[in-house]
Amino acid sequence: MEDGYQNKTAFIKGAKDIAKEVKRQAAKKVGRGVDKMTDEYSKRSYARFEEDDDDDYPGVPGGQDSGYYRGNSQAANDDEGGHSDSTEGHDEDDEIYEGEYQGIPRADSSKAADSLAGEDVQQFRDMAQLEGERRKDQEELAQQYETILQECGHGKFQWTLYFVLGLALMADGVEIFVVGFVLPSAEKDMCLSEESKGMLGLIVYLGMMVGAFVWGGLADRIGRRQSLLICLSINSVFSFFSSFVQGYSTFLFCRLLSGVGIGGSIPIVFSYYSEFLAQEKRGEHLSWLCMFWMIGGIYASAMAWAIIPHYGWSFQMGSAYQFHSWRVFVLVCAFPSVAAIASLTTMPESPRFFLENGKHDEGWMILKQVHDTNMRAKGHPEKVFSVTTIKTVKQMDELVDMGGDISTLRRYKLKLTSLFQQVRSNFLAIFNPEYKRTTLMMMAVWFTMSFSYYGLTVWFPDMIKYIQKQEYASRTKFFTKEQVEHVTFNFTLENQVHRQGQYFNDKFINLKMKSMVFEDSVFEECYFEDITSSRSFFRNCTFISTLFYNTDLFQNRIINSKLVNSTFLHNKEGCLLDFTDDNNAYMIYFVSFLGTLAVLPGNIVSALLMDKIGRLRMLAGSSVISCISCFFLSFGSTESGMIALLCLFGGISIASWNALDVLTVELYPSDKRTTAFGFLNALCKLAAVLGISIFQSFVGITKAVPILFAAGALAAGSFLALKLPETRGQVLQ
């Protein structure tokens, strides 16, 4: 029995050494999946060994065999001392391999285990082989697809798609400006506090951040066209609803979902259009497409200028429902999105998407449509599309057919689960070793660009407002200890401060008070009728036998004051629009109009030079010049000076954005393009929220901090941009 035990021990020790070597060699060939396969194989083999051990080794007690390894046999422990690798496993792997090779002497057990291991190894080898074939197919498809686009030419089809997708991009530009333009009116209409106003200003960016990530991921799985139609439809519906809802929370919810919808437009539009463009046209025409974002800003500014100040364009049904002119503006701003939906229904899906998903016939038909449309427009209808077969990519994630007895609800649930897993897998793939460095670098560039650009573009108007307020405050008139008796005031009172005044039997009838302050004053036997006030207050005043009829001078207007035998009749309820800010409103719209129009030269220059100097030079060069321009902000001490600097910064920085959009499209393969673009665009919106919040907090305090933040971010972005690979002259992956 002792000889049998020693033979078995020596055999196991040698077998375990062989197993470790086999595992190392197999891991190199088929990857980490072998570890899982080996563990399962070992556990099964160990179980077989325990069942059959006493038959193969009669010298070892079969019923107590496990006790031999666990230390239940005193003789065995004394002999080996518990230190032998062959008798006592010191780690999980040792125990597994010990059990695995104990089953080898039995011929039938060995064959069964080998068969199981062979099947698993073959499965992993098949997966690795399939992935390799997919890579090869994608490379061949990229080259062939570029040749096909050359044959199709650039003509009527691309220009038609250009205007259709331009409407979608225009809708995104409009969405950025809507809340900023309606906020001065909406805050009065909805009685918004400072916290509520801040939330309303940021909610669109938060919605767009979610939308960019979600729709970008879905567009790589369900198609560019279908995803774009869905997200534009969501934007249109909730933009329409937001113009009619009355409550603040409902309006906030509608604008959030509107932002979620439009958030997918940028990543999808650029990816969609790029897949119809040949190599030598791609950089230039993607830059031309960026002009529609500028057109969206101009449209929003012009509509706000034309609609919002016209307070006569409103109606109300009692005190419960009010529809003011700013709501008309919100409704009009949904038109680009609706027009984009109507136009997009006439356009086909991206053929590259079909070919990447193994749909040869669909992709071929669309490319033939592109070819025939362009040839007919160029006067060559006789030219025939010569391509008969196009390379398609083998698929790895086909949905398993669950049979006909499964319920419809269960089937949809399985499809959604599968779709979610595919989107998640695609997102994680952009952090694989092949793309990890590129993704991290792009994240840094997108973040720094967005932080500085959005922070400054919101900081500029706030600084202009602050300068206006300072200038307005410098013209304030002060009156002290005045005594006024038996006087009727029926004209506008504006920008005055009255302290310690005495007012006896005076009448204030049918007038507007703007920026009027009364402090420590006494009103005796006075009469206030039909008063509308804006930023006007009575502080520490005393009212004796005074009547207020149809005024808004109540609660928030009268602060720490005494009311003796005074009466309020027919008070104006709710929050009223500020009818005295017409000039300021026009100035806000005019400044936004100029700032948006100023990017036109930058758009033209970037489009003409994108394919000549390259994406990286355009991106880094524009960022450096924008960084230098930030230091001129310290000289902007007047309203006109700040407007000029806003236009300068916008005109320079737009070239960086155009180059960044083109670079993002070309750095990632087609099956991951919108996923990566959507994720980076979502990060962009997050950086925008941070930049706006930080830069706004320094308005009226200092210019140095925003200037240093913006310049530092742009400098870092331009430096990191030069580390990215240049994509000019390359086929679309």
Side-chain angles (χ1 to χ4, degrees), residues 303-526:
M303 291 299 102
W305 196 348
I307 296 174
I308 295 180
H310 292 277
Y311 302 107
W313 296 15
S314 62
F315 66 89
Q316 62 183 40
M317 292 181 287
S319 59
Y321 188 86
Q322 298 178 345
F323 193 88
H324 291 121
S325 57
W326 67 267
R327 296 181 180 275
V328 179
F329 167 72
V330 173
L331 189 62
V332 169
C333 285
F335 289 170
S337 186
V338 174
I341 294 172
S343 303
L344 192 59
T345 55
T346 64
M347 304 306 297
E349 177 59 82
S350 165
R352 184 66 178 267
F353 170 78
F354 279 140
L355 296 172
E356 289 282 348
N357 287 273
K359 299 180 179 180
H360 174 274
D361 293 346
E362 293 89 339
W364 184 88
M365 288 295 295
I366 295 171
L367 288 171
K368 183 178 185 301
Q369 178 186 350
V370 175
H371 174 273
D372 293 346
T373 301
N374 290 340
M375 292 303 107
R376 284 194 300 268
K378 293 178 180 179
H380 303 289
E382 73 282 356
K383 285 193 174 181
V384 179
F385 187 50
S386 63
V387 179
T388 57
T389 304
I390 308 175
K391 188 69 178 180
T392 56
V393 180
K394 291 183 175 62
Q395 303 305 296
M396 296 184 64
D397 50 4
E398 296 294 334
L399 186 63
V400 178
D401 186 7
M402 302 299 293
D405 57 342
I406 188 171
S407 66
T408 303
L409 181 61
R410 176 64 175 169
R411 190 181 302 276
Y412 279 117
K413 185 177 180 181
L414 288 172
K415 288 183 178 180
L416 289 176
T417 303
S418 175
L419 180 62
F420 171 78
Q421 292 174 347
Q422 292 169 6
V423 172
R424 178 178 177 273
S425 175
N426 221 25
F427 170 70
L428 296 177
I430 66 175
F431 290 95
N432 284 346
E434 183 178 358
Y435 302 106
K436 185 176 182 180
R437 181 180 179 277
T438 297
T439 300
L440 293 177
M441 298 289 286
M442 290 295 288
M443 286 174 63
V445 175
W446 272 89
F447 188 91
T448 54
M449 284 283 298
S450 180
F451 178 82
S452 58
Y453 177 81
Y454 285 101
L456 281 181
T457 51
V458 173
W459 180 77
F460 274 118
D462 286 347
M463 279 299 299
I464 292 173
K465 292 179 185 177
Y466 175 76
I467 293 173
Q468 289 175 340
K469 289 181 179 179
Q470 292 294 100
E471 184 181 355
Y472 185 79
S474 66
R475 300 195 304 266
T476 302
K477 297 180 181 179
F478 294 88
F479 301 88
T480 305
K481 295 181 179 181
E482 61 178 353
Q483 294 184 356
V484 182
E485 298 180 2
H486 310 292
V487 174
T488 298
F489 297 89
N490 57 4
F491 49 86
T492 299
L493 299 176
E494 180 178 357
N495 200 18
Q496 299 176 9
V497 176
H498 297 262
R499 294 175 179 148
Q500 299 177 2
Q502 298 285 335
Y503 302 90
F504 179 75
N505 196 23
D506 296 320
K507 295 181 179 180
F508 300 83
I509 301 175
N510 192 25
L511 59 82
K512 298 177 181 178
M513 292 184 177
K514 179 181 178 181
S515 300
M516 292 292 297
V517 178
F518 294 89
E519 296 179 346
D520 303 314
S521 299
V522 177
F523 296 83
E524 186 174 355
E525 297 183 10
C526 292

Side-chain angles (χ1 to χ4, degrees), residues 190-261:
M190 297 182 178
C191 308
L192 302 183
S193 63
E194 290 297 326
E195 293 79 9
S196 298
K197 287 191 294 183
M199 188 61 187
L200 184 58
L202 295 177
I203 196 68
V204 175
Y205 289 98
L206 296 176
M208 294 176 79
M209 178 178 68
V210 175
F213 184 79
V214 171
W215 299 117
L218 287 175
D220 275 332
R221 305 309 308 171
I222 66 175
R224 282 81 162 105
R225 177 179 176 271
Q226 184 175 350
S227 298
L228 188 56
L229 282 172
I230 295 173
C231 69
L232 288 174
S233 299
I234 293 174
N235 173 254
S236 301
V237 169
F238 286 99
S239 293
F240 177 81
F241 286 156
S242 67
S243 66
F244 291 97
V245 297
Q246 295 293 299
Y248 166 71
S249 58
T250 313
F251 181 78
L252 195 71
F253 177 74
C254 287
R255 295 317 302 181
L256 172 66
L257 292 185
S258 175
V260 170

